[in-house]
């Protein structure tokens, strides 16, 4: 079965302003995010990609644009099932103010029970994304063979949930996984089991250096902004 390259979108204006973007329109890459996207073709140059599947949201579309410009013959497909979690009434709100919401504790400690007001549950988010991957695995294998490599550009919580699915982890453990903006996560699927080959690889270790302000103990909903 195929190998899946999961790319989280580059850093966005919502990441740097501390806003939970969700499906809010008009959320673009910031200057650093655009630079991350521009570097992506070089990082992926050794790989013969068969297809690109991308979330419909602007920040993901902008992330893959340099890659598509560098490979004009590469087919691209937009799939809403790998779009961001529908955060409903939380969309567009500051993460700092959401910390005091009782639901945030559930999101952190028991995400399989979390459903966003006016939005969707985290279980539904994982289910739709995992179903999309399985369908694309079958399609890519049919069209390009079992050794094919394809790319999906999606969002932090989506990618974390797919990693949990591949590892057989309960969704309640997915907040232990971290994927930074424009990081590359690789899952190789086989008939009997998936293998996690890379996780959140940016090639940049700056985010591991001590910071003046220590990072939060809670997992960043939506994925966080990455290295300062």
């Amino acid at each position: 079965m195929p190998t899946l390259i999961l790319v989280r979108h580059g850093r966005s204006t919502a990441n740097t302003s501390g806003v939970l973007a969700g499906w809010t329109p008009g959320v673009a890459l910031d200057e650093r995010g655009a630079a991350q996207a521009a570097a992506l073709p070089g990082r992926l140059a050794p790989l013969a990609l068969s297809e690109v599947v991308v979330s419909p949201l602007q920040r993901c579309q902008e992330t893959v644009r340099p890659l598509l410009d560098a490979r004009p013959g590469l087919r691209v497909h937009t799939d809403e099932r790998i779009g961001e979690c529908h955060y409903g009434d939380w969309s567009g709100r500051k993460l700092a103010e959401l910390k005091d919401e009782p639901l945030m504790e559930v999101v952190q400690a028991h995400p399989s029970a979390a459903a966003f007001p006016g939005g969707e549950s985290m279980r539904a988010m994982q289910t739709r994304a995992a179903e999309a991957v399985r369908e694309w695995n079958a399609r890519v294998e049919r069209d390009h063979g079992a050794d094919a490599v394809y790319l999906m550009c999606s969002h932090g919580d989506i990618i974390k949930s797919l990693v949990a699915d591949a590892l057989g982890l309960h969704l309640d453990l997915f907040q232990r996984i971290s994927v930074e903006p424009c990081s590359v996560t690789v899952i190789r699927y086989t008939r009997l089991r998936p293998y996690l080959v890379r996780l959140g690889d940016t090639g940049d270790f700056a985010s591991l250096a001590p910071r003046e302000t220590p990072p939060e103990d809670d997992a960043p909903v939506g994925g966080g902004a990455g290295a300062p």
Side-chain angles (χ1 to χ4, degrees):
M1 295 180 69
T3 296
L4 171 60
I5 310 293
L6 286 162
V7 176
R8 185 182 168 204
H9 62 79
R11 197 174 75 175
S12 73
T13 53
N15 294 145
T16 47
S17 60
V19 168
L20 186 62
W23 284 70
T24 305
V27 177
L29 299 183
D30 68 5
E31 185 176 351
R32 180 170 179 171
Q36 291 170 332
L40 194 59
R43 293 169 63 195
L44 299 177
L47 299 177
L49 299 174
S50 58
E51 308 271 356
V52 170
V53 186
V54 59
S55 157
L57 296 174
Q58 179 178 337
R59 52 200 184 273
C60 288
Q61 298 281 334
E62 290 180 351
T63 298
V64 299
R65 192 168 297 147
L67 177 65
L68 298 175
D69 289 344
R71 303 191 191 196
L74 190 57
R75 290 194 295 178
V76 60
H77 314 269
T78 296
D79 193 328
E80 291 194 357
R81 294 174 297 175
I82 62 166
E84 181 62 284
C85 185
H86 290 276
Y87 295 117
D89 297 343
W90 279 26
S91 298
R93 294 179 60 187
K94 288 279 190 180
L95 288 166
E97 70 182 45
L98 289 171
K99 287 180 62 175
D100 297 328
E101 293 279 354
L103 178 60
M104 183 60 85
E105 187 176 13
V106 181
V107 169
Q108 292 293 323
H110 190 19
S112 66
F116 296 97
E120 71 179 332
S121 69
M122 303 198 92
R123 295 188 316 279
M125 173 198 73
Q126 183 186 44
T127 297
R128 62 173 164 85
E131 287 178 349
V133 166
R134 283 163 174 76
E135 289 182 19
W136 278 105
N137 282 348
R139 178 172 172 175
V140 169
E141 182 174 7
R142 180 197 67 203
D143 294 345
H144 301 281
D147 295 328
V149 178
Y150 75 108
L151 182 146
M152 280 187 171
C153 183
S154 187
H155 306 265
D157 282 350
I158 295 285
I159 294 172
K160 288 163 56 177
S161 75
L162 290 172
V163 170
D165 175 76
L167 292 176
L169 293 177
H170 196 284
L171 184 60
D172 285 346
L173 300 179
F174 101 127
Q175 297 290 29
R176 302 184 183 195
I177 299 166
S178 176
V179 289
E180 292 194 3
C182 225
S183 63
V184 172
T185 294
V186 182
I187 302 172
R188 180 167 61 85
Y189 289 87
T190 74
R191 186 173 66 87
L192 296 181
R193 65 183 63 85
Y195 291 89
L196 180 63
V197 182
R198 295 282 191 280
L199 176 61
D201 188 348
T202 64
D204 180 0
F205 296 104
S207 65
L208 303 180
R211 304 183 189 182
E212 292 182 8
T213 304
E216 294 281 346
D217 289 335
D218 285 344
V221 181

